[in-house]
Amino acid sequence: MGRPLATIVAAATIVASLAGCSNDRSSRAGQGDRVPLAELLATDLGGETTRAVVNQNAFGLPAKALPGDLRADFEVGDSFFTQPWVIGPASTTNRDGLGPTFNATACASCHVLDGRAEPPTDEHPDTPGLLLRLSVAGADANGGPAPHPVYGGQLQDRSIPGVPAEGRIGITYEDVPGAFDDGTEFTLRKPIYRIADPAFGDPGPDLRISPRIAPVIVGMGLLEAVPEATVQAAADPSDRDRDGISGRINTVWDENEQRRALGRFGWKANVATVRQQTAGAFSGDIGITSPVLPDADCPAGQAACLGAPNSGNPEIGDSTFDKVVFYTRVLAVPAARDEGDTKVRAGAKVFADAGCASCHTPTLRTGDSDIAALANQTIHPFTDLLLHDLGPGLADDRPDFEASGSEWRTAPLWGIGLVSKINGHTRFLHDGRARSIMEAILWHGGEADNARRNVLALTAEQRETLVAYLESR
Ligand code: HEC
Ligand code: HEC
Ligand SMILES: [Ca+2]
Ligand SMILES: [Ca+2]
Ligand SMILES: [Ca+2]
């Protein structure tokens, strides 16, 4: 183990105690020496596009360095992202066409303040930010999940009058107890999902459900501009360097380009581009047809859905659609904070020494982008954009293109510390099951099991620094 920076006394203590701990740990411990502290503590997470603003709207600002003439497009995109769509035909003809079935009336209903949704709770049982993706065994014509023959690819729990909603999200919880090595106990809560009140009968035993929560959507265009070769180079599917961490790319169907492409977006890197993600959201989540997905999302057999009128062909036209895509691509990453704080600095070392950076890659470089401000930026997203097997605890047993039932894309950690301030909750992971940042870490298994065990071995004080560090990002 090399020498930590002399100025960081607390971190040095942590390194020493990690090295002396008796846990059976892999070669990952000590890899922190290879992750420069300067990268872990960088504040310009989105490169030159970073915005140093900490308020309720910190996820909702345009990238810095965006030329003025593009700001108008951003504003139009914002309004179609934020304002509710209405049932057609309506006098507001450029905002009608909601449904026939849907989950929410606007992008912003789920990505609240361009941030992160909370799963349904006793206090907010009808909050829309959690989706159930549905399928049965096999693949569709493009290698994606095969939709359920009756309920389709997603459970739409709302509908326009005269059309039945498909059902409701049913969740029950199971307690999963555990303890840190120092004896401090904790209880995780494992959700179990079903379709409650299914409108078209029992979906049957072949139904596969993948719960997904709406994430923060800052920095999307930057992630899109990371060269494919960078992502490919980080993949290590057969774990050649024998560090216990593989990392695979997902290859998905790009509907816009009509070809297979590298998956980057969604919790399983199941979508190639922001454009496709936006079209998918308009279609599946809001019931708005678009230039990319011109047909209503009505499975065969749902007669009322199929028979309902459209409000335009498509309901969102090229120019407006493009502006929503643009808006979503250029949302600025807020600057990190508290980089001089002793706790935060100590926590950065813990993060590196526990092996977190093996997947949560601190630094990437963007290549070309059609949006000049996003090109050639050094960014700190804390993701490798790769799939990792996180073990049975987090598995949904629903493959998504190349992703298995237990593989997930490394979640970007930029912006994570502002979720509590902007969205008023601390629910993390792909379905929001974790009730705190620490619970999210404790759910890690599979390829991340060594990292989790390193965290179990920390003292209470070290755990606090790790969380303080993540809250500064
Ligand atoms: C019903 C809730 C809901 C609505 C409405 C919604 N989203 Fe999402 N959004 C999600 C969920 C859930 C995911 C994760 C999807 C997955 O993993 O497949 C997501 C993912 C995304 C992502 C990718 C984020 C990432 O880090 O990979 C983008 C971009 C996005 N949404 C944009 C939009 C836009 C634009 C709209 C409106 C047209 C919209 N969303 C409407 C729930 C929603
Ligand atoms: C083997 C790769 C890997 C390692 C190592 C790893 N993670 Fe993760 N991390 C992931 C993946 C994949 C997810 C998404 C899992 C999910 O949502 O089910 C994730 C999710 C998270 C989240 C939740 C983010 C969100 O937006 O919900 C946090 C926080 C986190 N990791 C922190 C850490 C910390 C701290 C460490 C080190 C102790 C660590 N991770 C080590 C792959 C990894
Ligand atoms: Ca419609
Ligand atoms: Ca459906
Ligand atoms: Ca490896």
Side-chain angles (χ1 to χ4, degrees):
M1 194 165 285
R3 289 160 56 88
L5 293 183
T7 45
I8 302 157
V9 182
T13 321
I14 286 156
V15 172
S17 73
L18 267 176
C21 109
S22 62
N23 234 23
D24 166 33
R25 275 177 302 105
S26 74
S27 56
R28 311 245 28 101
Q31 68 116 40
D33 302 337
R34 298 197 301 269
V35 187
L37 206 56
E39 287 185 20
L40 294 173
L41 291 168
T43 54
D44 56 344
L45 303 182
E48 288 159 23
T49 67
T50 308
R51 298 288 298 260
V53 176
V54 182
N55 63 24
Q56 279 289 113
N57 198 32
F59 290 148
L61 301 170
K64 199 166 161 184
L66 205 62
D69 57 335
L70 292 177
R71 293 290 287 270
D73 287 357
F74 180 87
E75 297 304 331
V76 174
D78 189 0
S79 103
F80 283 89
F81 183 96
T82 306
Q83 289 183 32
W85 292 76
V86 298
I87 297 170
S91 51
T92 49
T93 53
N94 57 357
R95 271 183 217 293
D96 67 354
L98 178 69
T101 61
F102 59 97
N103 298 93
T105 59
C107 309
S109 321
C110 297
H111 301 283
V112 181
L113 296 165
D114 308 289
R116 180 173 179 117
E118 181 175 24
T121 55
D122 291 344
E123 271 183 317
H124 306 286
D126 297 322
T127 186
L130 181 70
L131 286 183
L132 298 190
R133 299 216 179 283
L134 309 175
S135 61
V136 292
D140 72 3
N142 300 319
H148 186 278
V150 177
Y151 290 92
Q154 162 175 343
L155 181 74
Q156 280 95 352
D157 56 2
R158 298 174 68 187
S159 57
I160 63 171
V163 175
E166 294 182 318
R168 290 184 304 110
I169 301 181
I171 316 178
T172 50
Y173 292 97
E174 214 169 69
D175 283 351
V176 182
F180 292 99
D181 294 358
D182 69 6
T184 309
E185 296 181 351
F186 55 80
T187 306
L188 304 177
R189 250 181 11 153
K190 186 181 175 101
I192 298 147
Y193 299 94
R194 66 181 196 289
I195 300 180
D197 306 330
F200 304 96
D202 184 345
D206 299 335
L207 175 70
R208 297 176 181 197
I209 297 179
S210 183
R212 314 269 178 111
I213 200 82
V216 178
I217 53 165
V218 299
M220 293 291 114
L222 292 167
L223 294 182
E224 210 168 33
V226 172
E228 189 162 334
T230 305
V231 184
Q232 297 269 9
D236 182 19
S238 50
D239 193 17
R240 276 168 187 251
D241 63 359
R242 320 237 346 217
D243 64 353
I245 295 189
S246 52
R248 302 197 307 134
I249 58 164
N250 202 352
T251 306
V252 304
W253 180 249
D254 183 337
E255 184 66 37
N256 198 56
E257 300 291 331
Q258 294 287 305
R259 62 175 178 94
R260 307 259 292 162
L262 174 73
R264 295 171 193 260
F265 301 105
W267 288 97
K268 284 184 187 266
N270 45 300
V271 172
T273 63
V274 175
R275 189 173 173 82
Q276 173 145 359
Q277 183 78 45
T278 304
F282 270 126
S283 162
D285 304 352
I286 312 181
I288 298 297
T289 59
S290 68
V292 180
L293 294 173
D295 300 319
D297 182 9
C298 299
Q302 291 191 24
C305 187
L306 286 161
N310 276 337
S311 301
N313 235 335
E315 291 165 328
I316 182 168
D318 264 307
S319 146
T320 313
F321 178 73
D322 285 350
K323 286 172 183 139
V324 178
V325 175
F326 177 75
Y327 170 81
T328 308
R329 291 175 72 201
V330 300
L331 285 169
V333 183
R337 304 151 308 282
D338 304 326
E339 72 281 10
D341 184 271
T342 319
K343 255 194 193 175
V344 167
R345 298 179 74 89
K349 268 305 260 176
V350 174
F351 183 84
D353 285 328
C356 310
S358 308
C359 303
H360 295 284
T361 311
T363 305
L364 293 174
R365 181 115 182 118
T366 68
D368 294 340
S369 173
D370 56 316
I371 301 171
L374 307 182
N376 305 313
Q377 295 300 306
T378 300
I379 61 173
H380 305 285
F382 297 90
T383 177
D384 53 9
L385 294 173
L386 294 172
L387 297 172
H388 295 277
D389 188 329
L390 285 207
L394 286 171
D396 62 6
D397 299 322
R398 177 185 181 269
D400 202 338
F401 292 96
E402 308 289 316
S404 75
S406 53
E407 283 179 313
W408 301 95
R409 178 193 68 168
T410 305
L413 299 178
W414 54 15
I416 191 167
L418 289 173
V419 169
S420 61
K421 294 171 189 72
I422 292 173
N423 298 121
H425 67 84
T426 54
R427 302 295 300 266
F428 295 106
L429 294 174
H430 64 268
D431 56 358
R433 67 177 65 189
R435 289 165 294 182
S436 64
I437 287 179
M438 185 49 82
E439 280 197 8
I441 299 168
L442 295 169
W443 271 109
H444 283 57
E447 291 174 45
D449 205 49
N450 282 318
R452 181 186 61 93
R453 286 198 282 147
N454 289 338
V455 170
L456 290 179
L458 299 173
T459 65
E461 198 187 334
Q462 290 166 339
R463 299 198 295 266
E464 229 178 86
T465 66
L466 177 59
V467 171
Y469 170 63
L470 291 168
E471 282 174 347
S472 78
R473 297 298 89 192

